Amino acid sequence: MKSLIQNKVFRIVAIADLIQQLGIWIRNIAILFYVMEQTNNDPVAVSLITVFQLLPIFLFSIVGGTLADRWNPKKTVIAGDLLSSASIAVILICIVSGIWQAAFVATVVSAVVSQFSQPSSAILFKRHIPDAQVGIAIGITQGLMSIFLIVGPMIGTLIYTSLGIHYSMIALMILFASAALIQFALPPSPRDSSETSSSLIRDMREGLVYVLNHRNLTVLAVVMALFGLGIGLIEPLDVYILMERLGLEKESLQWFYALAGIGLLIGGAVAAGSSEWLRSHAKLVMFAGILALAASIAVEVLSRSVVLTGSMRFLVGMIQAFFQIVMNMFMIQWVEEKYVGRTSGILAPIITGGILLGSASSGFIMKSTSLMTAYFVSAAMIAIAALYSLKFKISEASDNPTAAQTADGKRSAL
């Protein structure tokens, strides 16, 4: 742990992530409340915020990941935050001029930029953090994110209700610019010119072939698709669990989110502290965690107890922390550095597309059947994902194409 904290790249990336998370929550709350005020709480307009958050991830992640493999990662993360800050300035001018619809653009720009900067951050981790410390590093950054899942909505609400949309946007500009300035202290991260000599289309095709030829990555893609579909089926229906099953008001939802955030924080801390154990039992953790999530979804929809439902939300947060950390460990350890961005760009839209498809179907399923049916279908999809995760093959030379080629060469030499 001490050597990780002393790692300059880790410290800078973690601090920048912290600032960005604060900005993201200020943006989320400010845009949500502002759009509700401008549209008289129109649910269609509110739902468009989520669409604008997810569609850029679905559409641009493969391009962003491929370009991240070609670009200098340090310059990419800095340019991303500077672009976010500049775009907020333009959007603020539009809002002041009475064009309130520009608020949607803030969400779109942030989502698009993240498709370039997030793979670049993973490349920096891959390049500068030893494999043995990757689990701890991801656990710590995950813990920082989970803290803001708890306090972020409170901070965003306080700033918006106290200062309004204009000053919320100004705070966003300052935060993203600050994150960019901090990342200037990253060490130089030049790219080999040979890595950018081929065409963009060719690089994207090579990334797809790389994933298809990598057994564990294809398994991971199927698991992520099923997982995203299952989560998407119930994500818009959370509030109905409180109202129909527990008899609570919809405003109580924030406290259940907080419980999930606390679970995420504690789960991230436990996972970070047991990274070596996770490395040696990754397949078991993935299977047991996803299966436990399926069970918790079934229990949640059957529950009539606030305490039991709250406990399930806490458990889901912990499971999510382990799932994300193990998945990120897989990505960083299995994938060669020059393919990190492209692989991330291929896998990210798979889970996002699953969530979008599930969310689009959830209302219809609940209306035509019942809330309980929707939740049980979700639990079944996630249970199938758990079973499919048993196809992972860990600690085999064939996991990594390069490693397999090296092993074949050694056998030939013998």
Side-chain angles (χ1 to χ4, degrees):
M1 176 71 77
K2 183 179 179 180
S3 61
L4 178 62
I5 299 300
Q6 291 174 343
N7 187 306
K8 181 181 179 180
V9 171
F10 171 75
R11 292 201 309 270
I12 293 173
V13 172
I15 293 172
D17 281 350
L18 194 65
I19 295 172
Q20 291 161 0
Q21 283 297 311
L22 178 57
I24 286 169
W25 276 109
I26 292 175
R27 180 205 69 193
N28 289 349
I29 296 299
I31 292 176
L32 173 62
F33 288 175
Y34 181 66
V35 168
M36 291 178 71
E37 290 174 2
Q38 295 299 314
T39 62
N40 194 28
N41 300 332
D42 183 359
V44 175
V46 172
S47 67
L48 282 176
I49 299 174
T50 301
V51 172
F52 285 140
Q53 285 176 339
L54 293 178
L55 270 181
I57 299 174
F58 183 73
L59 297 175
F60 291 101
S61 59
I62 186 170
V63 177
T66 302
L67 291 175
D69 281 335
R70 299 162 62 92
W71 292 347
N72 182 308
K74 175 182 176 179
K75 292 181 179 179
T76 302
V77 294
I78 293 172
D81 286 330
L82 289 177
L83 178 61
S84 293
S85 182
S87 66
I88 295 298
V90 175
I91 290 163
L92 177 58
I93 293 172
C94 294
I95 291 175
V96 170
S97 302
I99 309 174
W100 67 267
Q101 294 87 347
F104 289 111
V105 181
T107 300
V108 174
V109 171
S110 180
V112 171
V113 168
S114 70
Q115 300 317 298
F116 299 87
S117 59
Q118 287 178 356
S120 296
S121 295
I123 291 168
L124 289 168
F125 268 29
K126 176 78 174 180
R127 182 175 294 184
H128 296 285
I129 296 178
D131 283 348
Q133 295 179 345
V134 166
I136 300 174
I138 295 172
I140 292 175
T141 55
Q142 183 67 59
L144 295 176
M145 293 177 62
S146 61
I147 289 174
F148 277 97
L149 181 60
I150 302 169
V151 303
M154 301 177 190
I155 296 174
T157 300
L158 178 63
I159 292 177
Y160 183 83
T161 55
S162 302
L163 303 175
I165 186 66
H166 296 162
Y167 284 102
S168 294
M169 293 293 104
I170 292 172
L172 271 178
M173 291 168 50
I174 294 172
L175 287 169
F176 281 118
S178 299
L181 290 175
I182 288 172
Q183 292 171 113
F184 272 104
L186 287 167
S189 300
R191 280 294 195 187
D192 189 331
S193 59
S194 63
E195 296 177 5
T196 60
S197 58
S198 59
S199 68
L200 178 63
I201 299 299
R202 179 180 176 182
D203 281 353
M204 292 169 63
R205 185 170 60 248
E206 286 180 354
L208 181 60
V209 170
Y210 181 83
V211 171
L212 292 175
N213 287 340
H214 194 308
R215 174 188 170 87
N216 279 344
L217 292 180
T218 58
V219 173
L220 184 60
V222 175
V223 170
M224 291 173 70
L226 292 169
F227 186 86
L229 183 60
I231 292 297
L233 281 170
I234 61 172
E235 195 168 84
L237 307 180
D238 278 345
V239 68
Y240 296 101
I241 288 287
L242 305 186
M243 295 189 296
E244 292 190 10
R245 303 298 297 173
L246 303 180
L248 300 175
E249 298 295 328
K250 63 181 184 299
E251 289 78 11
S252 301
L253 188 61
Q254 60 180 314
W255 306 116
F256 288 84
Y257 280 149
L259 284 171
I262 294 170
L264 193 65
L265 177 61
I266 295 175
V270 172
S274 56
S275 61
E276 284 301 319
W277 185 86
L278 285 180
R279 281 166 58 87
S280 58
H281 298 83
K283 180 177 178 179
L284 173 63
V285 171
M286 180 72 80
F287 169 73
I290 300 177
L291 194 61
L293 178 61
S296 70
I297 290 172
V299 171
E300 187 173 328
V301 76
L302 291 171
S303 171
R304 291 282 190 178
S305 166
V306 173
V307 174
L308 180 58
T309 302
S311 299
M312 291 300 101
R313 287 302 175 94
F314 175 80
L315 178 63
V316 166
M318 290 195 67
I319 294 171
Q320 182 182 351
F322 277 84
F323 176 79
Q324 290 177 347
I325 290 171
V326 170
M327 187 172 65
N328 287 329
M329 286 174 60
F330 283 167
M331 283 287 298
I332 292 177
Q333 292 169 3
W334 286 343
V335 181
E336 296 175 71
E337 181 185 322
K338 65 179 181 179
Y339 288 105
V340 168
R342 278 169 283 184
T343 302
S344 175
I346 290 168
L347 295 180
I350 291 176
I351 191 168
T352 304
I355 294 173
L356 279 171
L357 182 60
S359 297
S361 307
S362 61
F364 173 78
I365 292 175
M366 177 180 168
K367 189 173 181 180
S368 59
T369 57
S370 66
L371 177 67
M372 192 166 292
T373 299
Y375 266 71
F376 275 116
V377 171
S378 170
M381 296 299 297
I382 293 175
I384 294 172
L387 293 174
Y388 201 83
S389 72
L390 294 174
K391 291 182 174 289
F392 284 126
K393 289 189 175 180
I394 311 298
S395 300
E396 289 190 8
S398 58
D399 275 355
N400 187 306
T402 302
Q405 294 165 6
T406 302
D408 288 341
K410 290 180 178 178
R411 283 193 292 269
S412 298
L414 292 174

